[in-house]
Amino acid sequence: MFSSKSYDEQYFKAENASERPHEIIFQEAKLTERSVKLAEGSQAVCAFVNDHLDRAVLDGLKAGGTEYVAMRCAGFNNVDLKAVAEFGMKIVRVPAYSPNAVAEHTLALLLTLNRRIHRAYNRVREGNFSLNGLVGFDLNGLTVGIIGTGKIGCLVAKLFRGFGCHVICSDVFENEMMKSLGGCYVSQDELFKESDIISLHCPLLESTYHLIDEEAIGKMKRGVTILNTSRGALIDTVAVIRGLKTGHIENLAIDVYEEEDNLFFEDQSSEVMQDDIFARLLTFPNVLITGHQAFFTDTALTQIARVTIGNLTELEARGACENEISLG
Ligand code: NAD
C-alpha cells in the first residue's frame, strides 16, 4: 500500500482482521517510477489520489509480478487505463465511500468563508472583537449552480435547498434524483451567467480540464463564489487569481488544487514554499483552502478500508470484481 499514513494503517488493519487476512505492506512512499520496486512480488498494489500510475510505473508493476491495482478512492484520473489494459492488469476502486462527507465539507467551506469564521476564530482568540471585514451574505434566495450532478452533486443540492437556495445544474446526463430535489438543468453558459455560487462536482476528464478558465469567468456574475471539492485541474488557477484580483470572483473555497501532488498530505511547514501560484492564493483573505480532506471522516475511512479489502478478496477468489474500472 503506497502513500500510506498512520490512519490508513489503523483502518485497514481493523478491516483486514479476518480468518484469512491479506498480507499488507504499508509504505509511506508515494507510488512513482522511483518507488515502484517496493511493490516487487506483490500480487496487488493499493494506491491513492496522488500516486502516479502512468505507463512507466505500470510497466514496473507488471515486471514485478503485480496483477491488480486497488485504488482506495473513487477518482482514477491519475491512472493510464490504456496501459492497464495493455499489460493485462485489472483495476478496482471504491466508487462511493461517503458522498455525504464530501457534500458536507463543501458546505462547511462555504459557510466558513462566507461568514469569515476562519478570520473571526483568530481575532477572538487574540481579544479582537472588531467586526470590520467580517460581513457575509444570506444564502436564502441565492442561486447555486452545480456542475456534475452525480452522487455528491445531488447531496450538495439537497443541502443548499435546505438553506432556501435555488439550484440550477449542468451535466452530460440528467439525473432524476436532482430533478426531484428541485434542481433545474440549464446549459453551462446559463449556469455561469445566473449563479451566485458555483460548486464543482464533475470528474476530471479531458473535456473538464480547466472548465473554469478566463472565458468561463468572463461569463459569470461579478461577485461570484466558486467552490471546488472535486479535482484541482477543473480550475485554471492563474485565471482564477486574476478574477480574484479584479473582484470578479468574490470568494473561492477549494479542497483540491491542480498541483496538489507536490504539496498535500505532507507536513511542509518547515519548507520554503516553491509553488508561487499556491503561495499567491494563500495571501487572499477571501480564499479558503483545505488540503484534500473533504473525504476525511470516520465513516468514509471505514468504508474505504472495507470496500478495498472486499475488492481484493473478490479478485483473489474469482479474478473479477464488481468494482472493476471498465477498460473497454
Ligand atoms: P459521480 O460519478 O457520482 O458524479 C459525477 C457526475 O459528473 C456524473 O453525473 C457525470 O455525468 C458528471 N459529468 C461528467 N462529465 C461532465 C461534464 N463534462 N460536465 C458536467 N458534468 C459531467 O461522482 P461523485 O461521487 O459525485 O464524485 C464527484 C467528484 O468528486 C469525483 O469525480 C471526484 O473527483 C471528487 N471527489 C473528491 C473528494 C475529496 O475528498 N475532495 C472525494 C471523493 C470524490
Side-chain angles (χ1 to χ4, degrees):
M1 181 182 299
F2 285 89
S3 300
S4 173
K5 303 286 182 210
S6 56
Y7 45 83
D8 292 311
E9 204 165 326
Q10 179 195 334
Y11 282 86
F12 271 81
K13 278 186 173 162
E15 290 301 325
N16 195 32
S18 69
E19 273 180 23
R20 289 195 63 236
H22 298 282
E23 184 193 351
I24 306 177
I25 303 164
F26 297 94
Q27 302 284 5
E28 276 182 41
K30 190 189 281 188
L31 177 55
T32 62
E33 231 180 308
R34 275 185 131 181
S35 65
V36 70
K37 276 225 167 303
L38 293 170
E40 214 165 70
S42 304
Q43 206 176 353
V45 295
C46 181
F48 197 48
V49 290
N50 289 330
D51 285 312
H52 296 187
L53 288 131
D54 54 21
R55 174 170 287 272
V57 168
L58 289 160
D59 194 20
L61 288 174
K62 184 72 189 167
T66 299
E67 296 163 61
Y68 306 124
V69 175
M71 299 303 293
R72 56 180 190 281
C73 52
F76 46 87
N77 53 284
N78 51 334
V79 185
D80 183 339
L81 293 182
K82 259 197 203 147
V84 173
E86 213 176 293
F87 297 141
M89 297 166 89
K90 294 202 164 184
I91 175 164
V92 291
R93 64 176 184 140
V94 185
Y97 32 91
S98 178
N100 284 297
V102 183
E104 289 166 17
H105 191 78
T106 307
L107 266 290
L109 284 176
L110 173 68
L111 292 171
T112 304
L113 183 58
N114 168 26
R115 305 309 297 267
R116 314 295 182 212
I117 307 289
H118 55 308
R119 304 186 68 196
Y121 174 81
N122 288 323
R123 279 193 196 180
V124 169
R125 285 169 73 89
E126 287 180 4
N128 175 0
F129 304 103
S130 160
L131 298 182
N132 287 335
L134 301 186
V135 185
F137 51 81
D138 284 22
L139 291 180
N140 184 45
L142 294 187
T143 298
V144 179
I146 293 180
I147 303 185
T149 58
K151 293 175 284 297
I152 297 171
C154 281
L155 287 167
V156 168
K158 192 171 162 190
L159 297 175
F160 274 116
R161 293 288 290 154
F163 280 98
C165 297
H166 305 292
V167 171
I168 57 175
C169 45
S170 83
D171 197 312
V172 285
F173 301 110
E174 297 198 355
N175 183 343
E176 289 307 315
M177 166 75 86
M178 180 54 107
K179 289 185 192 166
S180 73
L181 289 166
C184 178
Y185 281 90
V186 296
S187 70
Q188 202 160 278
D189 275 2
E190 200 175 337
L191 184 143
F192 288 148
K193 194 167 146 234
E194 298 299 328
S195 301
D196 300 296
I197 298 165
I198 295 176
S199 198
L200 306 179
H201 302 288
C202 56
L204 176 61
L205 306 165
E206 260 176 57
S207 60
T208 58
Y209 177 78
H210 283 186
L211 181 81
I212 305 300
D213 59 6
E214 190 97 50
E215 196 187 338
I217 295 166
K219 294 174 185 163
M220 294 176 194
K221 276 189 186 175
R222 193 172 171 81
V224 67
T225 290
I226 299 177
L227 310 173
N228 186 11
T229 56
S230 191
R231 282 293 179 266
L234 295 177
I235 286 184
D236 175 350
T237 317
V238 171
V240 163
I241 288 174
R242 252 182 250 129
L244 284 160
K245 284 169 77 175
T246 62
H248 198 109
I249 300 171
E250 197 167 297
N251 296 292
L252 172 74
I254 55 174
D255 183 54
V256 285
Y257 169 59
E258 53 184 327
E259 300 297 333
E260 70 177 50
D261 194 4
N262 303 318
L263 290 172
F264 288 3
F265 303 123
E266 305 300 334
D267 178 1
Q268 305 210 22
S269 53
S270 306
E271 311 286 323
V272 172
M273 168 75 64
Q274 297 297 328
D275 184 329
D276 292 347
I277 297 173
F278 192 77
R280 182 66 179 100
L281 274 183
L282 291 176
T283 65
F284 291 97
N286 50 346
V287 171
L288 183 63
I289 308 174
T290 49
H292 210 136
Q293 72 171 82
F295 75 100
F296 204 56
T297 63
D298 176 67
T299 315
L301 289 174
T302 303
Q303 187 67 5
I304 287 172
R306 187 167 296 162
V307 174
T308 305
I309 296 284
N311 286 346
L312 290 168
T313 304
E314 254 191 84
L315 285 173
E316 191 176 36
R318 57 183 190 92
C321 170
E322 64 167 338
N323 291 325
E324 250 176 85
I325 298 170
S326 158
L327 302 172

